[in-house]
Each structure stands twice: as C-alpha cells, then as structure tokens.
Amino acid sequence: MELKLFNTMGRQLSTFNPIHEGKVGMYACGPTVYNFAHIGNLRTYVFEDIFRKTLEYCGYSVRHVMNVTDVGHLTGDTDEGEDKIVKSSREMGKTVWEVAEFYTKAFFRDFGLLRCAMPSVVCKATDHIPEMIDLIRRIEAKGFTYSAGGNLYFDISRFPDYGKLALLDQQDLRAGARVEVDQGKRNPFDFALWFTKSKFEHQAMLWDSPWGRGYPGWHIECSAMSMKYLGEHFDVHCGGIDHVPVHHTNEIAQSESATGHTWVNYWLHGEFLLMGRDKMAKSAGNFLTLSSLVEKGYHPLDFRYFCLGAHYRTQLMFTFEGLDAARTSRLGLMERIVQLRAEAPQGPVQAAGKALEYLRDFETHAADDLNMPRCLADMWTLLRDAEVPSGMKLSVVLRMDRIFDLGLDSAKEESLTLDDESKALLEERRQARRAGNYKRADEIRAALKARGIEIQDSPQGQKVRFAAGQRGEKTVTSEDDRC
Ligand SMILES: [Zn+2]
C-alpha cells in the first residue's frame, strides 16, 4: 500500500516516505484545557486517529506525541488577550491547576469515547518549562530574538522562510499587515517566546528564566516537546487548519531557527466543522460538546461515523439530520455484523475472490489521502453483494474496521440499543405498564420521543425505533424490554 498524503507544506499530494524505515514520528497539537472540547475540536482528533490507524494498517509503528496546553495560550492566538486558563480559573473560582486537571480529564474521556487511540506520549506544557527555556536560549544565541517591554520576542525578519507553510505574502509581512496590539513588537507578526510578569499582573503560573520571572509563549511548547520526544527532524505534524497561519507558522520559525535544518517533513491539517455558515468556536458561542450529544441520546460513535462521511480536508456542516443519518447507518452496520455472525457461525473466513477485490479497493482509497467517504462506500457495496459469503464479508469488514474503528468486532445486540438513561426510562415504563400506571407510561413515551426514540408496544414487549431523519428508520428490539 503506497500511502499518498496531501502536504500543506507545498500544497501537494505526495508519496509518504518516513525518515526511518517502518517507523513514523507523529506530533499532534493537543487541547488547551480551559474548557470542554467542542465537537469541532474533536473532528480534528478523529481525523488524526484515522490517520494513525491508516499508518498502522500500512504496517508502520507509530510514535504519536500529543501536548496538553496548560499555560501560555492567550485568548487570541497572536499574543493578545489574557491566558485562557487564568480567565477560566477566575470565572470558575478554582485554581489554574484545578481547571487544567478537570478539563484534561474531560478531554481524554471524550477522546476515549470516540475510540481515539491514546498517544504514545502525552506531555503537559507545565512539565516542560526547562526544555522550553533551553530551546529559547538556542534561538537567542543564533540572533533571532529581541526583548522589549520585558518580553522576549522572535524576530521574523531574521528568518527568511517565515510564512512558507501558510504561503504568507512576504510584502504583507514586511509591511506588518496585521492589526498591531503589542507596542513592544517591531513587526506585528513577531511573537512572544517568553512573557514576563510585566505583561499581566495576575498570571498565576510563573517560572524563573534568563529573561525574568514569567511564562512561555504558546508556540514554544510544541517545538520543545516534539523535539524532546521525536527528535529534531521527524515525519508528520498534524492539527486543525486554523493552526496554519499563526501557530504552526511560528512553530516552524522557532524550531528551524534553533536547529538550522528542516524540522518536519509532512504537515496534515483537518478542516473545520461548521455550524450554519461559521466554524464551530467557543469564542462564537455556537458550539456543542460530545456530552451534549450523548444527553440527546446519541452514541459517541455516531459522531465518529458522521466524521468518516466527509474527507478530512473538506469543511463539514454539522446538522442533527446529518448526525441522525450517521446513527442510522452505524446501527444498520452493527445489525449487519450481528446478522453475519449468525449466518457464519464458524466466524470470519479468509477473504478471496470478490471479497478480496473489495478490500483492495478500500485500501486504495484509504491510501489516497485517507478518503474515508469512499472507504465507507466500499464497505457498504461489499455488504450488499449477495455473491460474497457471510464469513468472508465478516473478515473483510472487521479488517476495514482497523481504520474506521467503530468497534465492530464487539458488535452485539445490546450495543444496537440505547444509552443508559434511555434504558432506565424504558425499564421504568415497563414497570409502570405492569402496575397499570398508563399515565406515567405515556409520560415516559413522550420523554423518549423527545430524545428521538419511539416506542411501540407489541406482544414481545416494547419495541424501540430510532427516528432517523430523511434516510429511513431502523427498528431495534432490546433483549431486556419485554413485558
Ligand atoms: Zn502546537
């Protein structure tokens, strides 16, 4: 399988060749832990997980490093505003450390619910201040910095390649086209490597440094930690597309000015999830969290399936109709797996003939810059092909699921059904009906309907049906709902 990836650096599709045979070093920018991740953020992590699992499918051993930003990320990415975590700590009445711990846990809970594989290394910014200071010293020793107003800045005029990732216009850069917010900067595109307390009086996290007691700029952590865990030249750096013009541009400037050579070979960026016309953003207030979807009765993997339905480099519009369609398809898929198991009690059978052709198509599409919509289509075409024996279908689909990772190998009847809260409501309704309390039973029916779940009473018990948007409906009967 020859893997082709779209490299943001140079804007072209190119064949992936790792630095060390059989091994891939991959760095992904992690969360800033001042609030819950929204599903737009989570789309990026799902894309990175699909990428990692595609690399593993191709036989690479992947060292995946992710940072957790718990200091230094200001409300604006370009050094304006105040530290996001300090702001949350004031609003929540908790210490910055408590805020960071709380939201780090919340993030990895969502991460796990989406079946994203834990990175090989998760590194916190506040645990790597000495590494950041060392790197800043190297940048300083090479003459790329200046200090002003108590802060140490990176001087972009000393780094001729500045902006090559984002294709920033050199003339704009020289003219300093961005709005000036920091009087100390010589050029608005210059950025802070180290802030001293002169910037904010109420900064709670402070460290001693050669430039005074203070804290690091946001970008330096990714340069310092990626080099620590992956070396000074590694294969892939991923993140959301919004990181291209500032964060990743500045990471490259820092890293390559310190080492004097190329830092990263491939840059992959995931596109936005849109809410209406706008990108989902906490600052715009138009965001949804994974738990808010779960509260509405969706399974976290409905969202994963929803993400698979669009290529990672296309913008994806979030709608509940779209999520309903993803849920219907996912439940239908799980149902098919259970059926295939019943039809092929001997289990998966080695694929041959047509089944193998479907698998090859799938691999071609996965290797074509992770074309998951085509891969899903390949899987459904296989499932609909009456000529392929069930055992072979099962083996091919489970193999495909090494990349999709929808948990198909553990598909059971129960998992086709409901979240715990809906299950509890269903059980309460069963008992209410048994006790002749039809008023309560009707109330619960209405409550479940509001969650997109319809109930039909049948001689076998309560039948549950998911309202499923425009693409039809799926009927599921759970084992434990018989009267
Ligand atoms: Zn980063």
Side-chain angles (χ1 to χ4, degrees), residues 56-357:
E56 287 170 345
Y57 188 100
C58 294
Y60 292 113
S61 143
V62 181
R63 182 163 165 84
H64 172 193
V65 177
M66 183 194 275
N67 66 309
V68 171
T69 301
D70 54 357
V71 67
H73 191 174
L74 306 189
T75 45
D77 284 354
T78 53
D79 298 345
E80 76 273 19
E82 66 175 320
D83 188 300
K84 289 183 174 188
I85 296 175
V86 174
K87 186 165 178 270
S88 285
S89 111
R90 193 177 56 243
E91 287 164 1
M92 292 168 74
K94 292 185 173 176
T95 69
V96 282
W97 306 99
E98 285 165 346
V99 170
E101 197 190 339
F102 177 81
Y103 288 118
T104 303
K105 276 192 186 147
F107 173 79
F108 282 109
R109 190 172 57 230
D110 288 351
F111 198 77
L113 287 171
L114 290 167
R115 293 183 71 90
C116 292
M118 270 307 271
S120 329
V121 176
V122 174
C123 39
K124 283 201 306 192
T126 51
D127 288 341
H128 296 78
I129 303 294
E131 287 85 346
M132 293 186 218
I133 290 175
D134 282 351
L135 187 61
I136 299 172
R137 290 178 106 137
R138 285 173 71 184
I139 299 167
E140 186 181 38
K142 295 208 172 169
F144 289 91
T145 65
Y146 61 91
S147 52
N151 300 325
L152 189 75
Y153 292 101
F154 187 93
D155 182 353
I156 66 155
S157 71
R158 305 295 307 275
F159 187 72
D161 272 348
Y162 186 83
K164 67 181 168 181
L165 179 74
L167 306 177
L168 298 179
D169 186 286
Q170 290 301 316
Q171 211 164 352
D172 284 353
L173 288 176
R174 276 194 296 279
R178 219 154 48 191
V179 181
E180 176 55 60
V181 287
D182 188 333
Q183 297 301 324
K185 291 183 188 178
R186 291 178 191 164
N187 181 315
F189 287 87
D190 291 346
F191 56 92
L193 295 167
W194 189 267
F195 290 109
T196 69
K197 60 187 171 189
S198 64
K199 173 97 177 168
F200 304 115
E201 282 172 29
H202 304 297
Q203 179 66 28
M205 299 183 186
L206 295 167
W207 293 266
D208 288 325
S209 85
W211 313 281
R213 192 161 168 76
Y215 60 101
W218 172 37
H219 317 295
I220 195 72
E221 66 177 87
C222 290
S223 294
M225 294 192 284
S226 64
M227 288 193 204
K228 173 169 181 174
Y229 296 107
L230 294 168
E232 295 188 356
H233 181 204
F234 60 91
D235 298 300
V236 198
H237 194 312
C238 314
I241 192 136
D242 48 335
H243 286 339
V244 174
V246 180
H247 183 50
H248 290 169
T249 288
N250 293 349
E251 286 183 25
I252 293 169
Q254 295 164 157
S255 306
E256 299 192 352
S257 64
T259 65
H261 59 70
T262 300
W263 176 46
V264 170
N265 285 354
Y266 299 87
W267 288 86
L268 267 69
H269 291 99
E271 258 291 354
F272 288 135
L273 185 68
L274 303 179
M275 275 292 260
R277 285 166 148 199
D278 305 316
K279 81 161 186 153
M280 191 172 283
K282 287 181 198 116
S283 52
N286 65 345
F287 69 95
L288 289 166
T289 59
L290 190 65
S291 28
S292 72
L293 299 186
V294 171
E295 276 164 27
K296 288 181 198 298
Y298 295 96
H299 192 286
L301 295 181
D302 295 336
F303 181 67
R304 187 175 174 99
Y305 193 102
F306 176 75
C307 292
L308 290 169
H311 191 271
Y312 76 91
R313 283 195 295 114
T314 60
Q315 295 191 336
L316 174 59
M317 176 82 77
F318 180 81
T319 60
F320 280 101
E321 289 75 24
L323 190 61
D324 284 341
R327 173 169 61 182
T328 304
S329 301
R330 192 185 68 82
L331 291 173
L333 178 59
M334 303 284 267
E335 220 170 31
R336 281 295 284 133
I337 298 294
V338 172
Q339 230 172 41
L340 289 176
R341 283 228 174 85
E343 289 163 11
Q346 78 280 18
V349 175
Q350 177 123 38
K354 263 184 119 180
L356 211 49
E357 281 171 35

Side-chain angles (χ1 to χ4, degrees), residues 295-298 324 327 418-419 421-422 425-426 429 440-456 462-469 473:
E295 276 164 27
K296 288 181 198 298
Y298 295 96
D324 284 341
R327 173 169 61 182
L418 300 164
D419 61 288
E421 215 172 313
S422 302
L425 281 170
L426 212 56
R429 185 171 182 275
R440 179 65 189 143
D442 286 347
E443 283 168 9
I444 295 174
R445 179 201 292 278
L448 286 167
K449 191 164 185 191
R451 297 166 152 248
I453 298 162
E454 288 176 16
I455 302 173
Q456 285 176 331
Q462 306 179 96
K463 272 199 167 181
V464 176
R465 204 166 67 157
F466 290 95
E473 293 168 330

